[in-house]
Amino acid sequence: MTTVDLVALRDHLRPVGAALREHALAIDADPGALHTLLDSGVLPYRQLGGFPPGYLDDPLRVRGVPVHVRTCVERAVVAETLAWGDASVVVGAPGPSMSGIVVDDLADDEQRDRFYRRVAEPRTWTFFGLTEPDRGSDAAALETAVVELPGGPDDGSAPGHGSPRTVLRGHKKYVGNVARASLGVVFARHRPGPLGVGVYLVDTDRPGFDAAPLVLTGMRSIQLGEVRLRDVPLRPEDTLGRHLSPSRRGLLGAVRTFNRLRPVVASLAVGVTQAALDYVRAERSSFTADERWRLETFDDRLHAARALVLQAARAADDDPADGTLPAAAKAAALDLAEEVTHAVPPLLGPGARWEHPYLDKLVRDVPGLEMMEGTRTVQRLTLAQGWLQGRARHAELV
Ligand SMILES: Cc1cc2nc3c(=O)[nH]c(=O)nc-3n(C[C@H](O)[C@H](O)[C@H](O)COP(=O)(O)OP(=O)(O)OC[C@H]3O[C@@H](n4cnc5c(N)ncnc54)[C@H](O)[C@@H]3O)c2cc1C
């Protein structure tokens, strides 16, 4: 449970969100412009990255209290406040990102140290390699495999000349930041069956790791990419959770990661919705009674969605194995973000998406949020299953 003053954290980060807004269109036009934002120093991405204590000598301080942004609640508040400026930069910035959460859950001490030491270096991106072109994000069906090759040349990837080599072979697609990442995690199958999927910590400078960015219509700062894994050498110490039982590591362990990430994606949607509502009010001073009523209804629903997302984040901190509320929060927040971002441009006239490119960007970013961490259809299925099993009955759903 967090002891951080969340209102103070929001207030502290509001100027950062405003600074992101100033850079948003330039980065949308060219994701390379993210470097200009990083050079400007206005985004304390290392302090917001969720490093464990000990890896940063200057953690974020809010009213004098150090905040490490490690809990789901803290991450959600940070994500929402910054998404008011640019949701895509929140996910596209350097740092531990999604892999950090899976490392926190599965890594042993040596692996955790290896990961965070490296990522603590400035401008170090990480990647989270799950989705595949033919299998999507259905982790149980993935094709990327851990392959044992019979004896080969000793290239340092395995002990002893001529001993078998273990490699990763496969193809991942729609992976954030992968073409500029230094390290990250890869989901791969090492044997058939539900316990046969493992998570591996991989440096991107290994031979056979071949990544390239894709062209995107939204969330461009994330630079989604694809990576071909052409017999990338694996070492025994790359297997995350090697100290855990088979039921805790791999896929089943990773579910906890997804449950912790969903409230954060939902928070991005809340931040985008707030941005759209604030934008239209800044651009138009008077509304008809009917328009005013619609905007006020959106305000009320946003208030409820924010409360649900925070409730889901608290639930994920308390029991990351239960994804019911995170699924509800993501579905509700995305419903609202989609509705509001489509309702707002007509209030500014027929050519609003041309004349207000920031609004156009919000409309294009929301489908990216929909796909991140699973679509609403899949979230509703999770919510329904949880409900039938008696979970989340206390929650006020919006
Ligand atoms: C901005 C962005 C960032 C991303 N970052 C990463 C990343 O860093 N790493 C990574 O590995 N992946 C990443 N992804 C990929 C993303 O995780 C997947 O695209 C997402 O989880 C959806 O999975 P899918 O593509 O397999 O679609 P599917 O799950 O196959 O869904 C396709 C369609 O079928 C529907 N559907 C699916 N199952 C059912 C069902 N049982 N019943 C009814 N309808 C169903 C869905 O609602 C959807 O409409 C990213 C995607 C985006 C857009």
Side-chain angles (χ1 to χ4, degrees):
M1 190 57 74
T2 185
T3 54
V4 173
D5 179 342
L6 298 179
V7 175
L9 181 59
R10 278 185 209 281
D11 289 346
H12 185 89
L13 291 176
R14 231 165 240 129
V16 182
L20 296 196
R21 168 86 58 102
E22 281 168 27
H23 290 259
L25 289 177
I27 296 171
D28 184 59
D30 170 17
L34 178 59
H35 290 276
T36 312
L37 171 68
L38 299 179
D39 287 343
S40 74
V42 295
L43 175 64
Y45 65 89
R46 291 172 74 241
Q47 295 177 321
L48 299 174
F51 283 90
Y55 290 92
L56 282 186
D57 41 20
D58 58 340
L60 191 72
R61 285 190 172 271
V62 178
R63 296 200 183 142
V65 178
V67 181
H68 290 278
V69 197
R70 298 274 295 160
T71 67
C72 189
V73 168
E74 290 165 11
R75 288 180 208 268
V77 168
V78 169
E80 184 200 323
T81 314
L82 300 192
W84 184 88
D86 191 340
S88 135
V89 165
V90 179
V91 192
S97 199
M98 296 166 79
S99 345
I101 298 181
V102 86
V103 163
D104 290 343
D105 260 343
L106 298 182
D108 62 24
D109 291 346
E110 181 272 328
Q111 291 168 328
R112 193 170 296 118
D113 190 56
R114 169 178 150 201
F115 177 81
Y116 280 114
R117 246 179 226 290
R118 182 84 186 272
V119 183
E121 289 164 22
R123 304 209 179 185
T124 304
W125 277 271
T126 57
F127 74 94
F128 184 91
L130 168 66
T131 307
E132 298 185 356
D134 294 330
R135 301 293 175 185
S137 60
D138 180 358
L142 53 78
E143 291 179 326
T144 297
V146 177
V147 181
E148 292 287 340
L149 296 181
D154 186 355
D155 59 0
S157 62
H161 181 78
S163 58
R165 289 189 304 141
T166 308
V167 298
L168 273 176
R169 189 180 289 170
H171 184 186
K172 300 284 181 185
K173 200 167 180 183
Y174 312 114
V175 178
N177 301 315
V178 70
R180 57 191 173 194
S182 301
L183 77 171
V185 297
V186 174
F187 288 72
R189 181 168 289 290
H190 56 88
R191 63 181 160 95
L195 299 183
V197 172
V199 192
Y200 302 89
L201 188 56
V202 177
D203 303 79
T204 58
D205 58 1
R206 290 190 187 176
F209 193 102
D210 185 7
L214 300 164
V215 177
L216 304 179
T217 52
M219 297 295 282
R220 286 182 170 154
S221 167
I222 300 179
Q223 275 211 340
L224 280 193
E226 66 183 316
V227 54
R228 288 186 166 76
L229 302 156
R230 298 191 169 99
D231 292 355
V232 175
L234 263 191
R235 297 183 284 241
E237 61 268 31
D238 298 332
T239 305
L240 288 181
R242 56 188 167 156
H243 61 303
L244 300 172
S245 68
S247 63
R248 265 289 282 116
R249 73 173 91 108
L251 203 48
L252 293 176
V255 167
R256 297 158 60 92
T257 304
F258 301 134
N259 292 343
R260 277 199 254 257
L261 283 167
R262 279 187 190 121
V264 179
V265 179
S267 302
L268 295 173
V270 169
V272 165
T273 307
Q274 185 72 67
L277 291 172
D278 290 349
Y279 189 94
V280 70
R281 287 187 167 113
E283 292 293 321
R284 237 186 95 174
S285 49
S286 66
F287 296 93
T288 65
D290 182 50
E291 289 167 341
R292 232 182 6 255
W293 177 82
R294 281 186 77 198
L295 288 173
E296 283 165 10
T297 307
F298 284 144
D299 289 340
D300 291 345
R301 287 175 59 196
L302 183 58
H303 185 69
R306 181 177 287 120
L308 176 61
V309 171
L310 269 181
Q311 204 177 350
R314 286 197 182 97
D317 280 330
D318 289 344
D319 179 10
D322 181 1
T324 315
L325 267 183
K330 192 190 159 187
L334 260 294
D335 278 347
L336 188 59
E338 188 177 77
E339 208 180 318
V340 168
T341 51
H342 282 96
V344 156
L347 294 175
L348 296 179
R353 284 183 63 181
W354 285 109
E355 286 158 17
H356 301 272
Y358 182 72
L359 270 190
D360 180 61
K361 174 181 148 50
L362 296 183
V363 177
R364 285 183 286 107
D365 280 352
V366 168
L369 294 175
E370 158 79 347
M371 295 306 285
M372 276 171 75
E373 287 305 307
T375 59
R376 273 171 285 175
T377 312
V378 174
Q379 308 303 338
R380 286 191 185 104
L381 286 172
T382 305
L383 171 59
Q385 279 159 7
W387 182 265
L388 290 173
Q389 289 162 7
R391 302 201 201 104
R393 293 274 166 102
H394 62 287
E396 301 225 354
L397 304 178
V398 285

